[in-house]
Amino acid sequence: MPKRVKKIQQLDIQDFDFQTFHKNLSKVSAKEYILLVDRPKKLFTKIQKDCELIKAAGGLVKSAEGNYLFIFRNKKWDLPKGKVEKGEGMKEAALREVEEECGVKIHTNDEKLCKTFHVYVLNNKLVLKKTNWYSMTVKGEPKLIPQKEEGITKAVWLSEIELNPVLKNTYPSIIQVLEAGELL
């Protein structure tokens, strides 16, 4: 079971259809759902076939002062990430996206922290975005320049004790990254 779950609703796997489930999400009150199945990989493969897959990569960036880089985009706290370009590796894409979205030079692009998935609608199609997350560092604590054309209105350095506003207004996948990075 995932950590930090407030209210969870178990879904019936028999006759489960992801497209129908997603379409009806606005009609239900629960915010967290769980499917318990004997063969999760088989179910996940079926869900993937119902969606367009987009690969992305991003970073959890730590400054030399021990603070972490966060961005504010689309009225939510987030971490810098973006789509992988054709011919580009995941780790390369993560580095490029962080540098572009925040105007910083990454010093080290270390190990992969985790992989997250989230679903959204784009052009009336369900998209499954797979994001690989990497641990990164910068020298010092450089001034951040948010990439406005990507909808980023703020880029800030926050200490571990300043994360409360982020935790109250972010995505579940970002919580997963913070857990993988041992900030939570």
Side-chain angles (χ1 to χ4, degrees):
M1 291 288 277
K3 296 177 187 173
R4 301 183 183 279
V5 174
K6 295 173 187 92
K7 181 179 178 184
I8 193 159
Q9 180 179 332
Q10 186 170 341
L11 299 173
D12 184 11
I13 189 59
Q14 194 170 2
D15 303 320
F16 179 76
D17 176 70
F18 187 72
Q19 294 270 352
T20 303
F21 167 74
H22 190 272
K23 189 168 47 174
N24 292 323
L25 271 176
S26 63
K27 300 174 187 170
V28 293
S29 61
K31 291 190 178 196
E32 304 276 347
Y33 300 89
I34 192 162
L35 282 165
L36 297 176
V37 295
D38 293 330
R39 298 173 59 199
K41 286 184 180 179
K42 183 179 178 185
L43 175 65
F44 191 69
T45 300
K46 182 181 180 298
I47 290 171
Q48 280 182 297
K49 287 178 183 174
D50 288 341
C51 301
E52 177 184 333
L53 181 66
I54 292 180
K55 293 180 181 178
L60 178 60
V61 184
K62 187 176 184 178
S63 75
E65 275 75 52
N67 295 317
Y68 292 87
L69 191 161
F70 287 89
I71 61 173
F72 198 75
R73 172 177 22 210
N74 300 327
K75 300 179 183 173
K76 293 261 194 194
W77 286 105
D78 204 347
L79 294 170
K81 67 181 174 309
K83 293 178 188 169
V84 177
E85 294 178 354
K86 192 172 181 139
E88 187 176 40
M90 295 292 261
K91 201 169 184 180
E92 293 172 282
L95 177 83
R96 178 186 51 76
E97 285 291 340
V98 170
E99 290 184 344
E100 286 176 1
E101 290 190 348
C102 301
V104 296
K105 179 77 177 136
I106 296 301
H107 176 60
T108 64
N109 185 3
D110 303 316
E111 84 273 358
K112 184 167 116 179
L113 286 172
C114 65
K115 175 177 21 180
T116 62
F117 293 89
H118 71 275
V119 176
Y120 59 95
V121 177
L122 181 66
N123 300 326
N124 293 322
K125 286 184 74 175
L126 274 183
V127 172
L128 176 66
K129 186 182 264 186
K130 170 191 167 188
T131 306
N132 283 5
W133 294 96
Y134 297 88
S135 173
M136 300 178 180
T137 65
V138 293
K139 288 184 178 180
E141 194 166 277
K143 181 179 189 262
L144 300 170
I145 303 164
Q147 191 179 24
K148 303 270 190 222
E149 56 269 26
E150 286 291 324
I152 303 168
T153 56
K154 283 189 233 177
V156 297
W157 294 106
L158 297 175
S159 70
E160 286 185 54
I161 61 170
E162 296 174 307
L163 295 182
N164 211 28
V166 172
L167 299 176
K168 288 181 178 180
N169 186 24
T170 194
Y171 304 99
S173 59
I174 299 303
I175 299 294
Q176 283 181 263
V177 177
L178 297 179
E179 288 173 343
E182 299 181 356
L183 272 78
L184 302 178

